[in-house]
């Protein structure tokens, strides 16, 4: 996995969640707190999710085959989507079920210091994991806001870890609040309410992850900055006079396919056109190193042909259709 895959953040989250899961489960056994049981299952699910991300990153490094000529870069998207399913089912639905059962059949908390102590420890450990994820993300997100980074990042691992860690911290606060209110009021229904809130939180995060990862699985184009660099690199003003139309597609987080129809002079020789295409490919790869697969089709620019298409976006090299 590349550096932008956030391997360090994934490993930090995996170690933290594995240790926290054990501590939470021990606290549940001593106290009977449903919030602690929901949180322990949450941490187990998170640990499994980080393991899935590591497996996806490893499998994505396989070499291309005749059956998969563009390689396996999208394996990382598939495993990130599996993470959202695990978080929804194992984490969210279980917590809602456990919270409902605790509200329906409340029972007194015992050995309250176990859940309180473990929750404080977990908040500290998760904070360090969250700090690592933020540091790793800052190295690649540039000037984008956190919302833009999560929505538009092509490598899914860091957004997944960020949202998981954020959800874990908020969930721990909810669990601590539920346990604290149960102790202060003597009514363990509050423990069940805290558990329900944890379940709703996890489901919301899972839905966000699923929607963002689905977009990556369907295939996203290059970002605006990368597209601008590719367009600038393509046209040399000599042999390649303009872009008739162009399509880009991420075939992996760090692998980009570029396909374009470019305009050349009608009297250029085949040798000159071939040399121009080779030079254009070199310029693109220099400007955008992740452009691994490039297909360029030379043509003679004609406005009537360039304008064909259902809408202006279908043929960005031609003039926009006039409105009637």
């Amino acid at each position: 996995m590349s550096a932008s895959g956030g391997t360090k953040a994934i490993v930090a989250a995996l170690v933290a969640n594995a240790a926290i899961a054990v501590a939470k489960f021990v606290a549940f056994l001593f106290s009977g707190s449903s919030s602690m049981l929901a949180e322990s299952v949450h941490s187990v699910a998170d640990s499994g999710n980080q393991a899935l991300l590591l497996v996806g990153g490893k499998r994505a490094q396989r070499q291309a085959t005749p059956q998969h000529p563009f390689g396996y870069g999208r394996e990382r998207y598939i495993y990130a989507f599996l993470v959202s399913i695990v978080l929804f089912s194992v984490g969210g639905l279980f917590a809602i079920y456990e919270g409902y059962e605790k509200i329906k059949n409340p029972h007194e908390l015992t050995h309250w210091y176990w859940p309180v102590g473990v929750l404080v420890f977990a908040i500290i450990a998760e904070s360090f994991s969250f700090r690592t994820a933020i540091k790793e993300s800052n190295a690649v997100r540039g000037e984008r806001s956190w919302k833009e980074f999560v929505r538009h990042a092509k490598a899914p691992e860091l957004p997944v870890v960020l949202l998981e860690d954020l959800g874990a911290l908020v969930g721990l606060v909810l669990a601590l609040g539920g346990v604290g209110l149960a102790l202060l009021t003597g009514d363990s229904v509050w423990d069940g309410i805290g558990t329900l809130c944890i379940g709703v939180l996890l489901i919301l995060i899972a839905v966000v992850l699923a929607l963002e990862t689905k977009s990556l699985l369907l295939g996203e184009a290059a970002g605006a900055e990368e597209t601008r660099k590719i367009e600038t690199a393509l046209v040399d003003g000599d042999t390649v006079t303009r872009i008739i139309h162009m399509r880009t597609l991420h075939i992996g987080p760090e692998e980009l396919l570029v396909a374009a129809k470019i305009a050349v002079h009608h009297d250029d020789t085949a040798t000159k056109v071939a040399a121009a295409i080779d030079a254009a490919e070199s310029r693109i790869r220099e400007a955008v190193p992740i452009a691994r697969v490039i297909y360029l089709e030379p043509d003679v620019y004609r406005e009537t042909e360039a304008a064909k298409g259902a809408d202006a976006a279908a043929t960005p090299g031609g003039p926009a259709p006039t409105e009637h």
Side-chain angles (χ1 to χ4, degrees):
M1 193 185 304
S2 71
S4 61
T7 306
K8 184 178 179 181
I10 298 173
V11 173
L14 176 59
V15 172
N17 281 312
I20 291 170
V22 174
K24 287 176 181 175
F25 191 71
V26 171
F28 159 72
L29 292 177
F30 278 95
S31 67
S33 167
S34 66
S35 291
M36 292 309 303
L37 179 58
E39 275 296 309
S40 63
V41 172
H42 176 194
S43 293
V44 169
D46 280 353
S47 299
N49 287 341
Q50 275 104 47
L52 283 173
L53 292 177
L54 290 173
V55 170
K58 184 67 176 177
R59 291 180 61 83
Q61 295 176 351
R62 290 179 294 168
Q63 296 296 316
T65 64
Q67 188 176 8
H68 298 93
F70 294 115
Y72 293 85
R74 288 195 179 183
E75 288 258 23
R76 288 164 67 177
Y77 301 151
I78 293 171
Y79 279 83
F81 189 77
L82 290 176
V83 165
S84 67
I85 296 174
V86 172
L87 195 62
F88 181 89
S89 57
V90 178
L93 294 183
F94 177 83
I96 287 178
Y97 169 78
E98 185 64 24
Y100 170 77
E101 285 294 317
K102 186 60 179 283
I103 293 173
K104 186 178 179 181
N105 302 297
H107 58 269
E108 184 180 356
L109 294 179
T110 58
H111 301 91
W112 61 268
Y113 43 84
W114 273 99
V116 172
V118 167
L119 286 170
V120 172
F121 160 74
I123 288 173
I124 295 172
E126 284 287 0
S127 296
F128 278 106
S129 174
F130 192 39
R131 178 177 175 273
T132 301
I134 290 174
K135 185 178 179 181
E136 291 282 294
S137 299
N138 280 333
V140 296
R141 75 182 179 98
E143 299 298 322
R144 290 176 291 178
S145 67
W146 286 109
K147 180 181 178 181
E148 290 175 334
F149 175 69
V150 171
R151 292 200 60 187
H152 301 297
K154 305 305 180 185
E157 291 85 3
L158 281 173
V160 168
V161 174
L162 276 170
L163 288 177
E164 277 193 345
D165 284 351
L166 178 60
L169 281 171
V170 176
L172 288 167
V173 172
L174 291 173
L176 189 58
V179 171
L181 286 172
L183 293 173
L184 289 173
T185 63
D187 187 354
S188 60
V189 167
W190 286 106
D191 186 32
I193 293 174
T195 307
L196 276 178
C197 292
I198 293 169
V200 172
L201 170 70
L202 294 180
I203 286 176
L204 289 175
I205 292 175
V207 169
V208 171
L209 286 177
L211 290 174
E212 296 303 324
T213 312
K214 185 191 78 168
S215 178
L216 293 170
L217 278 171
L218 289 173
E220 290 189 355
E225 181 65 19
E226 290 171 330
T227 300
R228 184 191 62 78
K229 290 180 180 179
I230 293 170
E231 290 173 343
T232 302
L234 260 176
V235 179
D236 63 0
D238 181 18
T239 306
V240 181
T241 60
R242 67 191 305 162
I243 300 169
I244 299 174
H245 60 76
M246 182 178 77
R247 300 289 184 271
T248 60
L249 178 69
H250 270 273
I251 55 178
E254 285 86 32
E255 295 173 290
L256 189 64
L257 182 149
V258 179
K261 178 175 281 192
I262 55 177
V264 297
H265 299 291
H266 67 87
D267 55 351
D268 284 341
T269 64
T271 302
K272 188 174 183 180
V273 170
I277 289 175
D278 290 341
E281 290 178 351
S282 297
R283 292 195 302 270
I284 291 172
R285 290 193 172 97
E286 183 178 354
V288 182
I290 66 170
R292 306 285 178 83
V293 183
I294 302 173
Y295 296 114
L296 301 180
E297 179 185 352
D299 202 350
V300 176
Y301 180 80
R302 296 181 296 274
E303 285 196 5
T304 55
E305 290 297 316
K308 285 182 179 178
D311 52 49
T315 55
T322 57
E323 295 183 1
H324 298 286

